[in-house]
Amino acid sequence: MTDRPTNNEREELIADARGGAFDAWEAAELPLLMDILADPSTWAEPGAGLEEAIVHAVAEAEPTTKPARASAARRTPRRRRRRRLLVSALAAAAAIMAIVVATVVVTRGGTSPDYEARLTATGPAPGARGEAEITRNDAGFQTTLHAEGLPALRPGEFYQAWLKNAGGTLVPIGTFSSSEGQVTLWSGVSPKDFPTLTVTIETADNDQSSSGRRVLTGEVHAT
Amino acid sequence: MPTQSLQTYAPAVVASRRMEESVLAAFRRREASGIRALYREYGRLVYAVAHRVLGHHDLAEEAAQQTFVRAWQAADRIDVDRDPASWLATIARRVAIDVHRREARRPATALNDVPADDPALVSLPPDLDALDAVWHVRRAIDELPREEATVVRLQHLDGLTHNEISEQLGIALGTVKSRSHRAHQKLAALLGHLREVPHD
């Protein structure tokens, strides 16, 4: 595939079809239209099972389900006590499990990463390289990026890191302005599901989609 | 912002099929056929809005499901004389934002360890103003003939040129251009109205 068309080139498709000059409102909304058309969310499709899931969910939510709850209220006091004891025991077990998990997470914090990636240069920055270590914790996925040789930024530009899945969906995980030292990024999605880490150059232009100006890319692997 | 309705400006794009009154009446009576009909008409729009906010398939499906459940629970308030798009879009937006807030609360504790002025910390709240626009654009795309929608997708999402699309689809370059032109004419008609509330 060639480089992704620029926003200007994509806007020209609309302008040609429009067949006349844009008025002020149209011109103001053109970047938004471009953003939405380039957003994978716009083209995303729900799963085939969602309709049945919704039909099932609304059936559960129907007022007609209330008589079932009314019958539950007829339980004997002894059965209710047993039920409360069971619920209490399960809650206690869940609390203990949560403490154990939290302890493990805290203990592991800052020791060894769960994922790592070696990033290599793409066309615009042949001398660039980088390494990333990704650690899962209760906040999500903390990524420590060490990059060097990134191309100089022009005024108004910044670097942005992304995780991408096999379907091409990009999730931004943070921005930075210098490759001096290490950079900390945060992701709410798992590298297991979004295994490609890229760094692009972006401009503060109210367009939150990727510019496509990749300077680093690499695959994330579990350690 | 213009005050005219979308239907006034762009009838070819958004004066879409309106659900039949009998279908809405069935929904209002909470009949299963009503929820299925509403989902088949608006399910993908609701999902697209939720996906825009949440950026994750599973969360978007969860939000879509909650949207229809809430609509179902409030079915007696639906106006069978009006297209329910605006009503449903409002519910979808609120539900998706609720889910986003719930998910955003999860990392709060650990992020306290990071200095508040850390330049690596980026907050990416959903662009609420754009959600109605997502609804409009997705609906316009859904109403394009499939072959035109495919060309638009390849151009904007996959970043292909006319020539590349011609090769990929195995159709003549002129056909690609004409499909692209027709589709973009319809999409261009949305401009100037994307920030309006969904039409009813």
Side-chain angles (χ1 to χ4, degrees):
Chain A
M1 188 190 301
T2 60
D3 287 341
R4 187 183 179 85
T6 65
N7 279 354
N8 283 342
E9 289 168 337
R10 295 195 299 122
E11 287 176 4
E12 283 174 11
L13 295 167
I14 295 283
D16 290 345
R18 173 71 169 77
F22 293 116
D23 66 27
W25 291 116
E26 292 171 334
E29 291 183 350
L30 191 55
L32 177 60
L33 178 58
M34 292 299 104
D35 173 47
I36 294 172
L37 287 172
D39 184 351
S41 295
T42 305
W43 303 90
E45 293 286 344
L50 183 58
E51 179 178 336
E52 289 307 317
I54 287 172
V55 170
H56 180 74
V58 297
E60 293 290 313
E62 271 187 308
T64 52
T65 59
K66 284 183 177 174
R69 294 193 194 102
S71 67
R74 290 196 297 273
R75 292 189 183 103
T76 64
R78 184 174 179 178
R79 288 182 63 190
R80 283 204 298 269
R81 276 198 302 275
R82 286 171 58 189
R83 182 179 172 82
R84 278 201 296 270
L85 278 172
L86 179 61
V87 169
S88 299
L90 289 172
I96 292 169
M97 182 62 74
I99 292 169
V100 169
V101 169
T103 302
V104 169
V105 168
V106 168
T107 303
R108 292 182 60 200
T111 54
S112 60
D114 298 294
Y115 300 88
E116 60 186 16
R118 289 186 181 278
L119 306 178
T120 56
T122 61
R129 59 184 294 276
E131 294 177 353
E133 295 180 342
I134 303 175
T135 305
R136 176 177 188 155
N137 59 32
D138 55 350
F141 296 85
Q142 180 180 358
T143 301
T144 303
L145 173 66
H146 307 264
E148 59 185 57
L150 296 180
L153 296 172
R154 289 175 296 196
E157 290 183 338
F158 53 89
Y159 303 111
Q160 183 158 8
W162 310 76
L163 286 176
K164 186 171 75 171
N165 67 8
T169 300
L170 286 166
V171 175
I173 61 172
T175 63
F176 56 102
S177 57
S178 170
S179 58
E180 297 295 324
Q182 69 179 37
V183 177
T184 302
L185 309 161
W186 288 90
S187 170
V189 299
S190 171
K192 182 180 177 184
D193 302 321
F194 289 76
T196 303
L197 176 58
T198 62
V199 175
T200 60
I201 296 177
E202 304 291 331
T203 305
D205 55 3
N206 205 30
D207 181 354
Q208 295 183 23
S209 60
S210 169
S211 66
R213 296 169 60 196
R214 289 186 301 166
V215 291
L216 285 175
T217 186
E219 294 302 308
V220 180
H221 302 285
T223 57
Chain B
M1 183 67 68
T3 55
Q4 291 90 334
S5 74
L6 273 172
Q7 285 169 303
T8 304
Y9 270 103
V13 179
V14 295
S16 58
R17 55 204 185 264
R18 224 187 119 241
M19 295 194 76
E20 292 182 9
E21 192 176 320
S22 61
V23 174
L24 292 177
F27 179 78
R28 184 172 178 152
R29 290 193 300 270
R30 295 194 173 92
E31 295 174 4
S33 62
I35 188 70
R36 287 189 186 280
L38 200 73
Y39 173 78
R40 289 171 188 172
E41 180 71 22
Y42 298 107
R44 288 191 296 177
L45 300 179
V46 168
Y47 175 80
V49 167
H51 200 285
R52 172 85 174 194
V53 175
L54 300 164
H56 189 282
H57 172 75
D58 291 345
L59 292 176
E61 286 208 337
E62 178 193 341
Q65 181 170 314
Q66 283 187 35
T67 297
F68 282 98
V69 168
R70 287 195 195 178
W72 184 256
Q73 290 171 327
D76 54 345
R77 280 181 262 160
I78 198 170
D79 183 348
V80 299
D81 294 325
R82 295 163 68 92
D83 187 332
S86 176
W87 178 66
L88 206 54
T90 300
I91 298 174
R93 198 168 54 238
R94 288 175 181 164
V95 168
I97 291 167
D98 285 349
V99 174
H100 181 273
R101 286 174 177 157
R102 182 197 73 195
E103 293 298 308
R105 278 197 292 272
R106 291 187 174 177
T109 302
L111 284 177
N112 285 343
D113 298 333
V114 181
D117 59 351
D118 189 322
L121 274 179
V122 179
S123 177
L124 293 169
D127 179 0
L128 303 185
D129 290 342
L131 296 183
D132 289 336
V134 171
W135 180 281
H136 289 316
V137 174
R138 176 64 194 240
R139 193 168 204 187
I141 288 169
D142 284 348
E143 293 180 3
L144 291 174
R146 181 183 297 271
E147 62 273 17
E148 291 180 13
T150 299
V151 169
V152 173
R153 178 188 173 120
L154 291 172
Q155 287 173 313
H156 292 277
L157 181 64
D158 298 340
L160 301 188
T161 64
H162 285 145
N163 281 323
E164 290 168 332
I165 295 170
S166 170
E167 291 174 10
Q168 179 159 326
L169 298 181
I171 57 179
L173 179 60
T175 304
V176 173
K177 288 182 177 178
S178 60
R179 288 178 184 175
S180 170
H181 189 75
R182 282 197 301 272
H184 284 100
Q185 271 185 321
K186 295 165 189 170
L187 294 173
L190 291 172
L191 288 172
H193 319 288
L194 286 176
R195 300 264 183 201
E196 294 178 355
V197 295
H199 63 92
D200 54 21

